[in-house]
Amino acid sequence: MSVQPIRLFGDPVLRAPAEPVVDFDKELRTLVKDLQETMLDAPGVGLAAPQIGVGLRVFSYHVDDVLGHLINPTLDLTDEELEDDEGCLSFPGLAFPTVRAYGVVAKGFDQHGEPVTIEGTELLARCVQHETDHLDGVLFTDRLSPLKKQFMRRDLDALARGELPEGYHPGSGGSATEGGAI
């Protein structure tokens, strides 16, 4: 179990839909621990397996002092929406106003194959939606309006070339969350 390198914008693994987990074994438990350690080290409030190069439907989260994970998630979203700044560990140093559902009920499994339900609003809902998007090969920048994308293109192009934003240091990126990027 160890901190893993986080894949950055432009890495093709971030665009590939992840495969469902079928084996709830020791290897999966190691992946969950690696996700949690990497996320906490970054620091972030969520991290999906594709962000460390693993194409499985697994993510970890750390919101309101609750550390958890979810495997093979399915989401039920509220109709009410909320726009807030959102960042991503794969987009270091960048955050953009992003619209998400205000609340979520997420169902899936824990690392032992036991059913889990996560219910939350605001930051937890945003985190669960963001990480589930990663599992589908969707990036939060895909959810920006065309006008916002146009304004952010320069920063996104720099990241795609492997250039970090001026003044970037690990853990500096992020949303309006205390823990940094999602």
Side-chain angles (χ1 to χ4, degrees):
M1 294 174 271
S2 62
V3 172
Q4 301 295 315
I6 295 173
R7 304 295 179 95
L8 299 179
F9 176 69
D11 189 316
V13 72
L14 297 175
R15 288 295 189 178
E19 296 294 322
V21 171
V22 294
D23 295 320
F24 292 81
D25 55 12
K26 182 179 179 184
E27 189 174 313
L28 178 64
R29 290 187 294 279
T30 299
L31 172 61
V32 168
K33 192 69 171 168
D34 286 351
L35 282 168
Q36 290 176 338
E37 289 182 9
T38 303
M39 173 189 62
L40 293 171
D41 182 70
V45 297
L47 187 67
Q51 291 180 275
I52 61 169
V54 178
L56 291 174
R57 295 187 68 78
V58 181
F59 70 81
S60 63
Y61 63 92
H62 186 234
V63 177
D64 297 329
D65 294 323
V66 175
L67 179 63
H69 65 278
L70 194 60
I71 298 166
N72 298 338
T74 60
L75 307 185
D76 184 21
L77 304 174
T78 62
D79 290 333
E80 184 181 357
E81 294 181 329
L82 178 67
E83 182 177 65
D84 200 357
D85 284 348
E86 188 169 319
C88 179
L89 294 173
S90 294
F91 291 79
L94 302 180
F96 310 127
T98 307
V99 175
R100 295 280 185 180
Y102 175 77
V104 67
V105 176
K107 295 182 180 181
F109 301 91
D110 71 10
Q111 62 189 332
H112 304 289
E114 296 298 320
V116 173
T117 299
I118 302 169
E119 295 183 52
T121 59
E122 298 184 41
L123 181 57
L124 181 59
R126 180 173 298 278
C127 177
V128 167
Q129 291 169 77
H130 180 107
E131 300 312 329
T132 301
D133 272 356
H134 272 300
L135 304 181
D136 294 331
V138 175
L139 303 174
F140 86 106
T141 53
D142 297 337
R143 298 202 176 272
L144 298 176
S145 71
L147 183 60
K148 288 178 188 171
K149 284 181 183 179
Q150 185 178 11
F151 285 122
M152 302 305 162
R153 181 63 47 207
R154 182 187 51 130
D155 290 336
L156 296 177
D157 289 345
L159 273 179
R161 291 190 307 271
E163 300 168 7
L164 297 178
E166 186 176 324
Y168 168 75
H169 59 86
S172 69
S175 63
T177 65
E178 292 180 45
I182 294 179

